[in-house]
Amino acid sequence: MTRAPVESRHPAVFLDRDGTIMREVEYCADPKAIEIFDGVSDALRKLKDAGFKIFVITNQSGIGRGYFTEAQYRAVENELNRQLGAHLIDATYFCPDEPGRESSRRKPSPAMVVEAARDHNVDLGRSFFIGDKAIDIECGRNAGVRTVLVRTGYGASQKCVSDLFAENIVEAADLILREHR
């Protein structure tokens, strides 16, 4: 497969979902439980306007554990996209595998990020991963992108080395836009 020239590839922001975009809800299977953090839609719109593609990269072990079905997961995903606003998320990649099970896709593996980059002509060298857990930061590092740990969700208690730190996704977007210039 021929790769597109670097100048024609897009920068991207890869986002964890639970605890980063929306309030952490253990094994969220109900679209009514979605509570998007303040300012997320505006922050994502700024990133889109600056030329970034936006992807959600999420582990959803509740499927593998039998807590909810893929159809229930999709209903949550659809409602999240509806609440965020049209065309903000370019694509969502999820892994249904439970922890401890051999998985080539489950974060901190970079497989979902690499797949999104391949599918959407992304330049990983100009891209970022925002998350609230050490596994998100590790996933981003494994994929070769810059990382931003947000202090929402589990972020305040995580011990990890991230390129940038932000209180929330709004601040993370501002940091990325400053770095991107």
Side-chain angles (χ1 to χ4, degrees):
M1 174 164 74
T2 306
R3 289 207 108 146
V6 171
E7 59 275 1
S8 69
R9 291 188 283 155
H10 306 278
V13 175
F14 301 94
L15 302 162
D16 172 57
R17 188 187 83 178
D18 304 321
T20 301
I21 297 173
M22 61 183 254
R23 184 178 54 82
E24 179 72 38
V25 176
E26 192 169 342
Y27 305 110
C28 186
D30 182 357
K32 293 178 187 148
I34 295 171
E35 185 181 322
I36 296 173
F37 291 125
D38 289 340
V40 170
S41 292
D42 290 339
L44 296 182
R45 174 66 50 214
K46 286 181 188 177
L47 291 167
K48 291 290 278 187
D49 290 347
F52 285 92
K53 291 194 175 257
I54 308 289
F55 303 99
V56 173
I57 306 293
T58 181
N59 287 341
Q60 292 297 319
S61 70
I63 298 169
R65 295 170 195 244
Y67 298 163
F68 54 88
T69 66
E70 184 174 335
Q72 288 172 296
Y73 162 76
R74 294 285 184 197
V76 169
E77 177 186 1
N78 290 337
E79 178 60 15
L80 177 70
N81 287 333
R82 187 194 70 72
Q83 288 186 31
L84 286 172
H87 312 295
L88 281 181
I89 304 297
D90 289 287
T92 297
Y93 293 79
F94 75 98
C95 178
D97 301 335
E98 53 194 294
R101 180 176 165 213
E102 191 168 327
S103 173
S104 63
R105 290 177 57 82
R106 185 172 171 78
K107 291 184 291 183
S109 165
M112 291 186 283
V113 172
V114 171
E115 183 180 348
R118 184 187 64 239
D119 291 350
H120 296 275
N121 200 28
V122 168
D123 179 358
L124 292 174
R126 296 188 299 145
S127 297
F128 294 82
F129 196 113
I130 303 173
D132 72 312
K133 292 182 183 170
I135 62 167
D136 299 323
I137 301 309
E138 189 177 344
C139 175
R141 287 191 173 286
N142 289 340
V145 303
R146 302 212 42 218
T147 57
V148 185
L149 180 72
V150 291
R151 297 190 197 323
T152 52
Y154 293 102
S157 65
Q158 296 294 290
K159 304 288 186 237
C160 62
V161 177
S162 183
D163 294 306
L164 302 166
F165 295 89
E167 288 304 312
N168 53 42
I169 200 166
V170 173
E171 186 177 306
D174 289 341
L175 290 170
I176 288 170
L177 291 171
R178 278 198 295 272
E179 295 277 324
H180 182 65
R181 290 190 172 118

